[in-house]
Amino acid sequence: MTASQHGNLWRASSKEALSAGPLDRALSVDLAVIGGGFSGSAAALQAARSGASVALLEARTIGHGGSGRNVGLANAGLWLKPDEILAELGEDAGRALIARLGAAPDLVYGIIEREEISCEATRNGTLHCAHAPSGMDDLRARFRQGNAHGAPLQLLDAAEAQERVGSASVHGALFDPRAGTVQPLAYCRGLARAATRAGARIFEDSPVTNITRAGDSWRVTCNGQTVQAGALLMATNAYHAPLAGAQPPAYTPVHFGQFATAPMPASARARILARGEGCWDTALVMSSFRTDQAGRMILGGMGNLDGPGGGIHAGWARRKLRQLFPEIADLPFEHAWCGRIAMTSDHIPKIVEIGPNALSCFGYSGRGIGPGTVFGTASAEALLSGDLSGLPLVPVKGHDESLTALKGSYYEFGATLMHAAGAR
């Protein structure tokens, strides 16, 4: 099974739809946004709600990139532990980011409710599961550090975790009641739909080819047309396409693949993740698992399903399903897909000033929904007001990463090796 053979579940099940034509005329706007993922769509929505004119240019379709291929966990915070964030950013900046992203699910679910986005929003928390007894050491550290910053985390022992997950293969879990799950493509489309309703102009099939600074405004070239904008946000993340005139985001591309079963029988649904939490584990090569509204089991792991190791990743998924949930081990996988993650070397997102009144935000390292919504919303506010102090991070003038292609190949090779031997 490869991603191209069976396709993206989120595209098949999204109840949100958006049809936007390509840019076909010259425009003059307050804010131009490049990229129609979580960050770009949230920025367009915030700008339009504030009364600004905004044009969003998406090279393919809204949510085509990582936002529409996401696991769908609306997490609070980053993948890093709080103490690691403080070590990277310093006390003040670190605490500010921890607090801001700790409240990210409030922003996400608040927008969903306000804009009536139909995206299977389920705010019943997430479970970070210990894949082995040794994984509890990591969870205990996260529990102590998170609660020290006010996070209402709960540490579950093996018996309670196994009951909540419906699997004897977890050895404890860290429960975060702030978080939850969404249908990620539907959420992204819903953001864009709400932005359009608020007055934003959204264009699909509109790849930007050039950005230039002209006087006190930006000129964005797309489809042979020009968009003149007072401010510019580049929100292309891991799906950035080459364009002239702007520093590209620097990150290591990491693939993450997912497999979705047929809907589980009622008896299994009553025992497996019956409360609807989203899960991921403490393994070195992380796995995720969750259910959707129809009762499908969605299992994910690092790896490019369309690459040379696609068959190995698919074999691992079948074994992993059997290991976690023996009673549904033979359910067929009806969908398989993968996407790219933009991973920074320190696993902290970046906001880069690419010019006057122009920002680029990227590098969520697998945490796109909450941070992407926060960063996009805040970037729109900052660019339109000219006050950058409200951004979740102090913007930098430039950001470089070395050997990104080699690192990406290393991660893929490692995931393939681990999956070849794993869950046996």
Side-chain angles (χ1 to χ4, degrees):
M1 174 185 291
T2 67
S4 59
Q5 287 174 322
H6 288 260
N8 187 337
L9 167 65
W10 306 135
R11 289 192 171 273
S13 67
S14 176
K15 295 178 181 178
E16 288 280 352
L18 181 79
S19 179
L23 180 71
D24 59 359
R25 60 194 180 277
L27 291 175
S28 179
V29 295
D30 297 317
L31 175 66
V33 178
I34 304 172
F38 298 132
S39 296
S41 298
L45 173 59
Q46 180 62 27
R49 280 178 53 83
S50 72
S53 58
V54 56
L56 185 155
L57 305 169
E58 164 55 46
R60 300 290 291 274
T61 58
I62 295 297
H64 168 80
S67 298
R69 305 162 193 267
N70 192 281
V71 174
L73 304 186
N75 284 302
L78 295 176
W79 177 75
L80 291 177
K81 297 184 185 73
D83 284 1
E84 293 169 330
I85 296 173
L86 296 182
E88 288 288 343
L89 297 179
E91 192 74 17
D92 292 341
R95 287 186 177 277
L97 183 64
I98 290 167
R100 192 75 169 270
L101 295 186
D106 290 336
L107 178 63
V108 170
Y109 288 100
I111 292 173
I112 290 170
E113 181 177 8
R114 184 189 74 207
E115 305 296 343
E116 299 180 318
I117 298 175
S118 181
C119 62
E120 303 186 17
T122 304
R123 199 175 185 183
N124 289 343
T126 54
L127 292 165
H128 191 177
C129 299
H131 74 293
S134 59
M136 286 302 293
D137 292 337
D138 179 54
L139 297 185
R140 291 186 189 99
R142 292 179 183 274
F143 173 71
R144 290 192 302 270
Q145 293 176 30
N147 284 3
H149 289 272
L153 305 176
Q154 301 170 30
L155 191 64
L156 311 182
D157 63 18
E160 187 170 3
Q162 289 167 7
E163 188 276 328
R164 291 279 284 268
V165 175
S167 172
S169 292
V170 298
H171 300 267
L174 189 62
F175 175 65
D176 189 341
R178 300 171 296 178
T181 62
V182 298
Q183 209 277 27
L185 178 59
Y187 172 59
C188 189
R189 286 176 173 174
L191 289 173
R193 189 235 336 136
T196 301
R197 186 170 60 186
R201 283 172 283 190
I202 292 179
F203 302 94
E204 297 180 316
D205 298 315
S206 298
V208 172
T209 54
N210 188 62
I211 299 170
T212 56
R213 182 73 177 168
D216 60 355
S217 65
W218 290 94
R219 289 184 180 175
V220 179
T221 303
C222 173
N223 290 349
Q225 305 291 337
T226 299
V227 176
Q228 183 169 313
L232 174 68
L233 175 64
M234 191 161 69
T236 52
N237 205 38
Y239 284 76
H240 183 80
L243 58 90
Q247 176 188 3
Y251 57 84
T252 295
V254 176
H255 286 86
F256 195 89
Q258 296 181 77
F259 301 82
T261 69
M264 294 184 291
S267 58
R269 292 186 70 174
R271 290 190 295 273
I272 296 174
L273 291 174
R275 306 182 200 186
E277 304 98 331
C279 305
W280 74 104
D281 66 24
T282 56
L284 179 63
V285 177
M286 183 268 286
S287 306
S288 64
F289 44 98
R290 55 160 296 194
T291 58
D292 70 351
Q293 201 168 70
R296 302 177 183 91
M297 172 56 61
I298 303 162
L299 180 67
M302 285 177 57
N304 183 359
L305 304 191
D306 286 327
I312 292 173
H313 299 313
W316 163 84
R318 176 56 62 188
R319 297 192 305 274
K320 187 69 174 178
L321 182 66
R322 183 176 297 111
Q323 179 190 75
L324 284 169
F325 307 112
E327 65 186 292
I328 59 169
D330 295 324
L331 274 183
F333 286 125
E334 293 186 337
H335 297 270
W337 68 101
C338 67
R340 290 197 302 272
I341 293 168
M343 184 175 292
T344 60
S345 56
D346 58 9
H347 305 295
I348 292 177
K350 306 301 172 192
I351 302 177
V352 177
E353 289 189 75
I354 56 176
N357 300 322
L359 298 174
S360 173
C361 55
F362 60 91
Y364 305 119
S365 296
R367 289 290 180 100
I369 295 175
T373 304
V374 168
F375 275 58
T377 300
S379 293
E381 293 172 345
L383 287 167
L384 293 170
S385 69
D387 180 6
L388 304 186
S389 64
L391 290 169
L393 284 171
V394 176
V396 296
K397 296 296 183 182
H399 174 72
D400 292 320
E401 298 267 343
S402 61
L403 303 174
T404 54
L406 183 61
K407 290 176 182 176
S409 297
Y410 170 79
Y411 283 121
E412 176 64 25
F413 181 68
T416 303
L417 284 181
M418 294 293 287
H419 284 171
R424 292 188 183 275

